[in-house]
Amino acid sequence: AQKVTQAQTEISVVEKEDVTLDCVYETRDTTYYLFWYKQPPSGELVFLIRRNSFDEQNEISGRYSWNFQKSTSSFNFTITASQVVDSAVYFCALSEATSGTYKYIFGTGTRLKVLA
Amino acid sequence: GAGVSQSPSNKVTEKGKDVELRCDPISGHTALYWYRQSLGQGLEFLIYFQGNSAPDKSGLPSDRFSAERTGGSVSTLTIQRTQQEDSAVYLCASSLNSAGTQYFGPGTRLLVL
């Protein structure tokens, strides 16, 4: 069955530290998509990145980077030189082509607290 | 351009009353989703609309929940005879097509007393 696991419930770091948020997924599909969203205190889910199952190339966007490894079914997210504004809940999500709807299956989220 | 909008932003109701939640998707987006975010259940899928196709209602938790999408645009989620366990944030998302990235609205926070 499809599933997304974010084992880290809450992480606290001091500003400028690097932090990695883990995401492990389960799916039987060969075509699927993985996402990361940020949910700041305001509550709105903000899209960060999308990867498809055929593209394992890692990606870097400013201080953010993502490591997609199909061999371990993981899609981890690293924030370099964290800032207080990075404090939020981060969700990893899976979308499967065979669902027809491409509905998201979310992990339980990781709350990141960046302390000044 | 404008993002997904939802109204009301907050709704307090009494147990047993009906409520309607509204979602305006991004213009041109054909796919629309409703999700619910609650402390106990996390983020869970409720219903999906794509163009003129029959909606996927597989995530609706009970027959007290229904939704419609008029003219392929605005959607309304209705909860009849609300219960305290319906208290949650209801999120709407839209995507350009069913395989596209979903963009979320700010949500409606529902509190059932």
Side-chain angles (χ1 to χ4, degrees), chain B residues 10 37 71 81 89:
Chain B
N10 291 282
Q37 184 173 22
R81 304 180 303 281
V89 177

Side-chain angles (χ1 to χ4, degrees), chain A residues 14-100:
Chain A
V14 176
E15 205 170 19
K16 298 184 182 176
E17 285 186 355
D18 299 348
V19 58
T20 295
L21 310 182
D22 298 333
C23 173
V24 174
Y25 62 92
E26 295 178 28
T27 179
R28 294 178 182 169
D29 274 25
T30 55
T31 302
Y32 55 89
Y33 303 88
L34 295 164
F35 304 83
W36 277 96
Y37 284 80
K38 174 181 180 180
Q39 188 174 44
S42 61
E44 191 160 344
L45 280 167
V46 177
F47 167 71
L48 295 178
I49 191 171
R50 166 195 175 108
R51 304 300 286 169
N52 74 52
S53 52
F54 300 107
D55 182 3
E56 284 192 76
Q57 190 170 19
N58 291 328
E59 183 157 337
I60 298 174
S61 176
R63 296 184 296 105
Y64 295 171
S65 62
W66 291 269
N67 184 352
F68 176 26
Q69 291 195 337
K70 291 178 72 172
S71 61
T72 55
S73 296
S74 65
F75 185 42
N76 296 336
F77 173 30
T78 297
I79 301 175
T80 302
S82 58
Q83 299 177 2
V84 173
V85 294
D86 296 327
S87 297
V89 181
Y90 291 85
F91 289 95
C92 181
L94 166 70
S95 170
E96 298 172 313
T98 55
S99 71

Side-chain angles (χ1 to χ4, degrees), chain B residues 38-55:
Chain B
S38 57
L39 283 176
Q41 301 297 323
L43 272 157
E44 53 180 348
F45 164 79
L46 296 177
I47 189 168
Y48 157 83
F49 295 92
Q50 169 60 43
N52 295 320
S53 302

Side-chain angles (χ1 to χ4, degrees), chain B residues 55-72:
Chain B
D56 178 349
K57 306 178 182 180
S58 61
L60 295 178
S62 79
D63 58 7
R64 296 186 296 104
F65 288 73
S66 63
E68 62 177 19
R69 188 179 185 191
T70 54

Side-chain angles (χ1 to χ4, degrees), chain B residues 12-55:
Chain B
V12 180
T13 190
E14 293 178 349
K15 178 182 172 181
K17 295 284 181 67
D18 297 352
V19 296
E20 284 190 353
L21 312 179
R22 176 187 169 105
C23 172
D24 277 276
I26 294 172
S27 177
H29 280 196
T30 62
L32 187 147
Y33 302 77
W34 284 95
Y35 294 86
R36 180 168 71 173
Q37 184 173 22
S38 57
L39 283 176
Q41 301 297 323
L43 272 157
E44 53 180 348
F45 164 79
L46 296 177
I47 189 168
Y48 157 83
F49 295 92
Q50 169 60 43
N52 295 320
S53 302

